[in-house]
């Protein structure tokens, strides 16, 4: 298995191909990387996205079901991957016209996003406070409480800052 510098360089090259809309070549590179990193969620998500972007002439090699399979595998490997959940939700909605599954997946990704956002705000506020930026910390916690008014953690953080 190769190192992460190699992986980063390959991902950057794939990104360039994607911007050039060379989806076939991008997918080929993703497939190659998946032989070395078979459980890397972002690669599986990218595979699912790229298959959906291919032209019809590539449909004899790749099917939309292959995209779904890659996205489902990504979610199975990392059920906290918001990217994977969202892509599978959009696939369910747009390709399969399955609104019930899509709604469930969208709701799950929203809840996950909210949880991560609340934790990020809490961490940022504490860092600001601990670096003697009390005014910024109070501003941050007030902003967070506007988004998450029921958050006990953020309310406790605000109280800690007032002491």
């Amino acid at each position: 298995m190769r190192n992460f510098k190699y992986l980063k360089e390959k991902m950057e090259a794939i990104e360039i191909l994607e911007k050039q809309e060379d989806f076939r070549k991008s997918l080929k590179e993703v497939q190659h990387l998946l032989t070395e990193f078979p459980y890397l969620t972002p690669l599986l998500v990218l595979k699912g996205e790229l298959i959906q972007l291919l032209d019809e002439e590539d449909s004899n090699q790749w099917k939309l079901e292959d995209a779904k399979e890659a996205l489902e595998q990504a979610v199975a490997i990392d059920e906290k991957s918001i990217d994977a959940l969202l892509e599978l939700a959009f696939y369910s909605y747009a390709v399969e016209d399955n609104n019930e599954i899509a709604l469930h997946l969208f709701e799950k990704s929203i809840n996950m996003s909210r949880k991560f956002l609340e934790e990020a705000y809490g961490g940022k506020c504490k860092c600001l406070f601990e670096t003697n930026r009390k005014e910024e910390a109070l501003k941050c916690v007030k902003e967070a409480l506007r988004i998450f008014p029921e958050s006990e953690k953020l309310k406790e953080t605000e109280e800690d800052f007032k002491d």
Side-chain angles (χ1 to χ4, degrees):
M1 184 179 286
R2 300 196 189 189
N3 64 25
F4 287 103
K5 182 180 176 190
Y6 164 81
L7 177 62
K8 184 179 181 208
E9 289 170 357
K10 287 292 195 177
M11 292 297 287
E12 288 169 354
I14 291 168
E15 189 176 324
I16 290 168
L17 289 170
E18 251 189 300
K19 285 180 182 174
Q20 296 170 347
E21 297 188 9
D22 192 344
F23 304 124
R24 182 189 298 170
K25 194 167 184 179
S26 298
L27 183 55
K28 184 179 177 184
E29 292 296 320
V30 167
Q31 279 296 102
H32 175 72
L33 282 177
L34 280 168
T35 62
E36 298 180 69
F37 303 95
Y39 304 110
L40 195 57
T41 302
L43 278 176
L44 291 163
V45 171
L46 188 52
K47 177 181 177 180
E49 292 171 341
L50 290 169
I51 290 171
Q52 293 177 74
L53 293 170
L54 291 173
D55 293 330
E56 283 186 39
E57 63 191 53
D58 296 306
S59 63
N60 49 345
Q61 182 180 0
W62 296 100
K63 306 282 185 229
L64 284 174
E65 294 80 24
D66 297 324
K68 181 181 182 181
E69 184 181 314
L71 296 172
E72 287 177 334
Q73 188 177 5
V75 170
I77 289 168
D78 183 2
E79 62 188 31
K80 291 183 180 182
S81 170
I82 296 167
D83 194 27
L85 286 167
L86 274 174
E87 283 303 319
L88 186 56
F90 277 114
Y91 180 92
S92 299
Y93 166 73
V95 176
E96 295 184 323
D97 198 26
N98 191 330
N99 291 328
E100 290 307 311
I101 289 177
L103 284 169
H104 169 75
L105 292 166
F106 283 128
E107 190 64 36
K108 194 171 180 179
S109 63
I110 289 167
N111 290 335
M112 193 77 60
S113 297
R114 288 181 60 81
K115 178 183 171 194
F116 288 147
L117 183 59
E118 182 180 356
E119 289 177 16
Y121 263 113
K124 177 183 178 185
C125 295
K126 288 177 183 177
C127 284
L128 287 167
F129 188 78
E130 289 180 18
T131 56
N132 296 319
R133 295 157 71 180
K134 189 173 181 178
E135 191 175 310
E136 286 179 79
L138 286 169
K139 196 176 194 180
C140 178
V141 78
K142 288 186 185 313
E143 179 182 326
L145 282 167
R146 278 195 303 274
I147 299 168
F148 304 103
E150 305 300 320
S151 173
E152 292 302 319
K153 283 184 181 179
L154 290 170
K155 288 176 186 176
E156 289 172 17
T157 300
E158 183 181 40
E159 289 303 313
D160 290 344
F161 292 173
K162 291 179 180 178
D163 294 340

